[in-house]
Amino acid sequence: MRALFRAIALAALPILSLAQLPSPRLLDQRASLTPAQIMAELGPQLSAKSVMFDDSDHRWDNATERWQAALCPTFSLVVEPATEADVPVIIKYANSNGIPFLAVNQGHGSTRTLSQLKNGISISMAQLNAIEIAKDGTSAFFGGGVYDGQVIDVLWEKGYVTGTGSCACVGVMGPGLGGGHGRYQGFYGLIIDLLIDLNVVLADGSTVTVSATSHPDLWWAMRGAGHNFGIVTSFHAHIHKRTVDEWSITEFVFTQDKLESVFAALNDQQKNGGQPKELMNYGVFTWAEEFSTTEPIFELFIHYVGTHAQAAPYLKPFEVLDPLYTNQSSMPYPDVLDATGTGMNSPMCQEGHTNMQFPFGLLKHNITATRQIYDYYANITKTQPLFKQAIVVFEAYSLPGVQAVDPASTAFPHRDDHILCDVLVTYDPNPSLDEQAIAIGKQITKFWADGQPGREKHTYVNYAFGDEPLEQMYGHEPWRLRRLRAAKAKYDPHNAFGFYNPIV
């Protein structure tokens, strides 16, 4: 994989440089290109196992359906490269004909800025999914199309773990370009903290290997704002021998009258971000009719990387609060995803719904604000039952591995956040509900913001709705955006990668 890419990088000269874009007259002449014409022209330039199809093909719906069914990009063609060498060919062709393009892995991107892409080429990463463990067992090589569940399963079977996101159905590199929170971050940091190098196709179709010693300005930028700079066709990352065979997972369900006590216990347990690396929690306000038909409940999962006996001291503060339901189980790490509602078959992984998403970073739970959020959520979902699929999410991953990395060393700006919160307003597609859904998300994030006065607002770029100020996503320190924009001017001056929370 690496040798092939480096050969491409050395041998392939771009057909089109961004400094020599096609003339407006030529683009006008090519504007009426049909998908059939594109396939006829581009197809012979691609490797034999590459795939191309338009909306007349039976594969179209499956390839273009997205997790966020509203505010979507639109495509005229899906191109599935079979090799890394195909990707620069696709980009050069798209550039020479004025066709926008977007790399698509599992289709979970939800930011509204993606809807600015109209009638483009979807570059499906599905075939670029190889995983190869290095001979010394300390790292592995991954295709740019690998996804979380795949990586977790393959490595665990071989006795290893690495950083991924928490949902089985989400690609690794999409979230990774924005930082990459996950269950092993307390041990090893974010996804970006495990990277060794990236093989990247730039906006003009040229290819580069990006690392601490090769294009270091791009290396910094792509680890936190990478969606703005290129397509990662493969990457090299550290892996680690797994330290345990099983995790302890305890599920609690609480009724709303316990809310203040539960969140006070969570604040105590999280120790202002200082909880042990083995300990994390994930909770949601949600409707669950098996527990209550009259009000939402709070479902809380306590994860511990170890045995039930080791987890016991961290469970006791919640056990004494008389939960409505408790379930404790021990399982290998790959099974944790299904057990906690983030597996391949979970509602979190089902496509075709509208999912309006609004994140917010906290230092600790403001219990008054949390009560306001619960009451508002309960009232709005009772008033409009079509919103009962909505959830309010509280993710408190362990932090030692994240905080061990110098915040200035990557473009990811939010290493000081202790809790990643998220409003996910989910409903069956219905444009008449969209504005109300957006208002719900904004009101709940306002409760969080008002609950920590004097602190700047932080938005995790991978969960962003897409209209937040850039400083919230990419950092309030002025030097961060200046440095990102300098890299943008150098590597993508015409903003070809401008559809995912663009920095310009």
Side-chain angles (χ1 to χ4, degrees):
M1 183 185 301
R2 288 164 57 79
L4 171 63
F5 188 91
R6 284 176 175 165
I8 298 166
L10 291 171
L13 292 174
I15 294 171
L16 172 80
S17 82
L18 286 179
Q20 297 172 323
L21 289 170
S23 69
R25 182 179 177 183
L26 174 60
L27 292 182
D28 286 343
Q29 292 172 347
R30 305 290 286 172
S32 60
L33 277 175
T34 65
Q37 288 175 299
I38 296 172
M39 287 189 281
E41 294 176 357
L42 177 58
Q45 302 179 50
L46 302 178
S47 62
K49 293 184 179 179
S50 295
V51 176
M52 305 176 70
F53 52 89
D54 63 12
D55 62 3
S56 66
D57 191 282
H58 70 278
R59 296 166 291 186
W60 179 263
D61 288 345
N62 185 59
T64 58
E65 187 176 37
R66 299 185 63 83
W67 181 73
Q68 160 62 305
L71 307 174
C72 288
T74 63
F75 301 108
S76 60
L77 192 69
V78 172
V79 183
E80 187 179 292
T83 72
E84 291 184 73
D86 291 317
V87 177
V89 175
I90 298 165
I91 290 180
K92 291 169 187 175
Y93 178 87
N95 283 337
S96 66
N97 290 285
I99 305 170
F101 53 84
L102 185 73
V104 176
N105 190 347
Q106 297 291 301
H108 256 246
S110 63
T111 175
R112 71 183 304 168
T113 63
L114 287 170
S115 65
Q116 296 170 10
L117 188 149
K118 306 293 185 185
N119 299 316
I121 293 176
S122 170
I123 303 176
S124 168
M125 305 296 285
Q127 292 194 53
L128 303 182
N129 61 358
I131 300 174
E132 178 187 347
I133 296 174
K135 290 181 179 180
D136 65 3
T138 65
S139 65
F141 306 99
F142 301 89
V146 297
Y147 59 93
D148 291 340
Q150 173 199 9
V151 170
I152 290 169
D153 288 347
V154 169
L155 291 187
W156 186 266
E157 184 179 350
K158 302 292 186 181
Y160 296 97
V161 295
T162 193
T164 69
S166 294
C167 276
C169 54
V170 177
V172 173
M173 191 43 58
L177 294 174
H181 287 289
R183 291 182 174 93
Y184 263 108
Q185 69 176 49
F187 288 77
Y188 310 120
L190 304 168
I191 293 173
I192 56 173
D193 300 328
L194 286 148
L195 296 175
I196 298 170
D197 60 48
L198 306 168
N199 290 326
V200 180
V201 182
L202 297 176
D204 63 355
S206 60
T207 57
V208 292
T209 296
V210 182
S211 69
T213 57
S214 174
H215 306 280
D217 53 346
L218 188 56
W219 175 243
W220 178 87
M222 290 202 70
R223 292 176 300 145
H227 310 92
N228 285 272
F229 293 97
I231 297 176
V232 177
T233 55
S234 64
F235 61 97
H236 184 199
H238 295 288
I239 61 175
H240 295 271
K241 282 284 188 180
R242 71 188 201 208
T243 58
V244 298
D245 292 327
E246 294 191 327
W247 286 41
S248 169
I249 302 295
T250 304
E251 178 188 8
F252 295 108
V253 172
F254 293 98
T255 50
Q256 60 85 19
D257 56 301
K258 306 293 176 61
L259 184 150
E260 283 78 8
S261 298
V262 171
F263 278 85
L266 286 171
N267 276 339
D268 288 342
Q269 183 185 88
Q270 287 157 204
K271 301 181 185 300
N272 201 31
Q275 72 263 37
K277 65 183 180 181
E278 298 85 359
L279 180 68
M280 67 208 77
N281 65 73
Y282 169 86
V284 292
F285 293 156
T286 186
W287 282 91
E289 291 190 355
E290 64 267 37
F291 298 115
S292 174
T293 59
T294 60
E295 64 182 19
I297 52 93
F298 180 56
E299 184 179 26
L300 174 67
F301 292 95
I302 304 293
H303 303 56
Y304 192 87
V305 186
T307 66
H308 290 326
Q310 292 169 318
Y314 304 105
L315 304 176
K316 186 170 292 185
F318 303 98
E319 292 169 337
V320 301
L321 296 178
D322 191 25
L324 185 64
Y325 171 82
T326 302
N327 180 56
Q328 188 174 58
S329 52
S330 182
M331 64 195 70
Y333 175 50
D335 294 346
V336 169
L337 284 72
D338 282 327
T340 57
T342 61
M344 289 295 292
N345 297 316
S346 70
M348 194 69 77
C349 281
Q350 303 313 302
E351 296 178 333
H353 297 286
T354 296
N355 285 290
M356 301 291 191
Q357 194 166 20
F358 303 85
F360 203 87
L362 297 178
L363 291 177
K364 63 185 294 186
H365 298 291
N366 181 308
I367 295 173
T368 299
T370 306
R371 166 56 71 181
Q372 290 174 316
I373 290 167
Y374 175 88
D375 290 347
Y376 175 79
Y377 167 77
N379 179 65
I380 205 76
T381 51
K382 289 177 184 177
T383 302
Q384 176 48 280
L386 294 176
F387 289 135
K388 280 194 172 182
Q389 297 177 73
I391 57 176
V392 181
V393 182
F394 306 86
E395 299 178 69
Y397 298 107
S398 49
L399 296 170
V402 177
Q403 295 179 339
V405 176
D406 179 1
S409 66
T410 71
F412 180 75
H414 301 320
R415 292 181 186 272
D416 56 340
D417 284 352
H418 300 160
I419 305 164
L420 175 58
C421 300
D422 188 31
V423 187
L424 188 57
V425 188
T426 301
Y427 49 99
D428 295 333
N430 183 343
S432 70
L433 297 176
D434 291 353
E435 289 305 314
Q436 186 179 5
I438 294 168
I440 291 169
K442 290 183 178 295
Q443 179 58 61
I444 292 177
T445 55
K446 184 177 186 301
F447 285 131
W448 277 317
D450 292 346
Q452 50 179 24
R455 187 172 190 254
E456 295 163 333
K457 299 175 184 177
H458 290 182
T459 296
Y460 184 40
V461 69
N462 291 327
Y463 291 1
F465 178 63
D467 67 350
E468 298 90 344
L470 291 177
E471 290 79 6
Q472 285 182 212
M473 292 187 280
Y474 295 112
H476 289 273
E477 307 98 318
W479 63 268
R480 286 188 175 274
L481 276 170
R482 283 200 300 267
R483 189 169 175 182
L484 285 172
R485 286 169 175 154
K488 185 73 169 178
K490 179 177 178 182
Y491 293 102
D492 184 16
H494 296 279
N495 204 23
F497 295 106
F499 297 107
Y500 194 97
N501 298 324
I503 57 177
V504 294

